[in-house]
């Protein structure tokens, strides 16, 4: 493919976009949690806010987790109230957006979507680490090998 965007081939752009995130999976996790609030406990132990690529998705999930950790109901009205208290409701699309999501039906299990979101987050971390390692090698940094090992080890430990 020779169609270029910002000096990149279409293949490079496609690969980078696919590597970044699965926005649909992120949305489906949140839709599932907002439409079935009791399901939060099924993912709360392993799905972290930083796994989300979009800041607004991370913000919504943080509000859901906060309610869950306070042993409060994670129903959409409480999530909306929590986001209003944080002055972040409009940043995430507003009341209507969250109510619409809560009214949706998701046909797969929330765990499948959560695993996909986590996988994409790990691949982003690996990509960022590879970029940093390349920079260290190009700069002929004396600590390049140790830093590369540390970066890869940190990613591997997150996988456990």
């Amino acid at each position: 493919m020779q169609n270029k965007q910002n000096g990149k081939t279409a293949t490079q752009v496609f690969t980078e976009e696919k590597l970044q995130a699965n926005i649909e999976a992120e949305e489906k996790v949140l839709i599932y949690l907002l439409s079935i609030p009791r399901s939060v406990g099924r993912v709360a132990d392993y799905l972290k806010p930083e796994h989300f690529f979009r800041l607004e998705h991370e913000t919504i999930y943080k509000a859901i987790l906060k309610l869950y950790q306070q042993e409060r109901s994670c129903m959409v009205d409480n999530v909306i109230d929590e986001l209003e208290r944080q002055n972040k409701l409009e940043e995430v699309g507003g009341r209507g957006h969250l109510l619409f999501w809560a009214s949706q039906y998701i046909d797969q299990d929330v765990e499948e979507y959560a695993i996909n979101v986590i996988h994409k987050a790990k691949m982003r971390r690996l990509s960022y680490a590879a970029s940093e390692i390349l920079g260290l090698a190009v700069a002929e940094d004396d600590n390049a090998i140790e830093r590369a090992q540390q970066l890869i080890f940190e990613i591997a430990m997150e996988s456990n």
Side-chain angles (χ1 to χ4, degrees):
M1 302 176 134
Q2 288 300 333
N3 182 14
K4 292 198 172 200
Q5 296 179 352
N6 300 326
K8 298 177 184 178
T9 67
T11 302
Q12 288 171 313
V13 171
F14 175 77
T15 301
E16 289 173 4
E17 288 174 359
K18 292 298 268 184
L19 180 63
Q20 288 181 353
N22 183 334
I23 301 303
E24 182 180 352
E26 290 187 11
E27 290 175 351
K28 289 193 175 187
V29 165
L30 296 172
I31 290 168
Y32 198 103
L33 298 177
L34 290 170
S35 62
I36 308 172
R38 293 178 306 275
S39 64
V40 175
R42 294 171 46 197
V43 296
D45 290 338
Y46 62 92
L47 180 62
K48 307 297 178 207
E50 59 270 16
H51 289 139
F52 289 87
F53 181 73
R54 288 213 170 143
L55 181 59
E56 58 268 24
H57 296 166
E58 179 180 343
T59 301
I60 295 167
Y61 188 65
K62 281 181 180 178
I64 292 170
L65 275 184
K66 183 174 182 180
L67 294 170
Y68 177 76
Q69 291 164 348
Q70 293 175 346
E71 297 182 0
R72 295 172 51 208
S73 171
C74 297
M75 60 187 250
V76 68
D77 291 335
N78 288 348
V79 175
I80 289 169
D81 289 345
E82 180 59 34
L83 289 166
E84 280 181 332
R85 271 193 289 285
Q86 298 174 13
N87 293 317
K88 294 186 178 182
L89 183 59
E90 294 310 312
E91 287 177 27
V92 301
R95 173 182 298 275
H97 179 66
L98 294 178
L99 290 171
F100 175 74
W101 271 6
S103 71
Q104 300 300 301
Y105 171 76
I106 300 294
D107 59 348
Q108 284 184 298
D109 211 10
V110 69
E111 287 95 343
E112 291 180 46
Y113 293 114
I115 288 167
N116 186 287
V117 170
I118 293 167
H119 173 75
K120 288 295 190 176
K122 288 177 186 175
M123 293 301 103
R124 283 193 306 276
R125 289 259 347 246
L126 188 58
S127 176
Y128 301 150
S131 179
E132 185 174 336
I133 291 166
L134 177 62
L136 293 168
V138 168
E140 296 185 21
D141 187 297
D142 291 338
N143 298 317
I145 293 173
E146 292 83 13
R147 180 66 183 138
Q149 288 174 328
Q150 179 185 9
L151 288 167
I152 299 300
F153 178 75
E154 288 170 1
I155 295 168
M157 291 309 295
E158 285 179 11
S159 298
N160 297 334

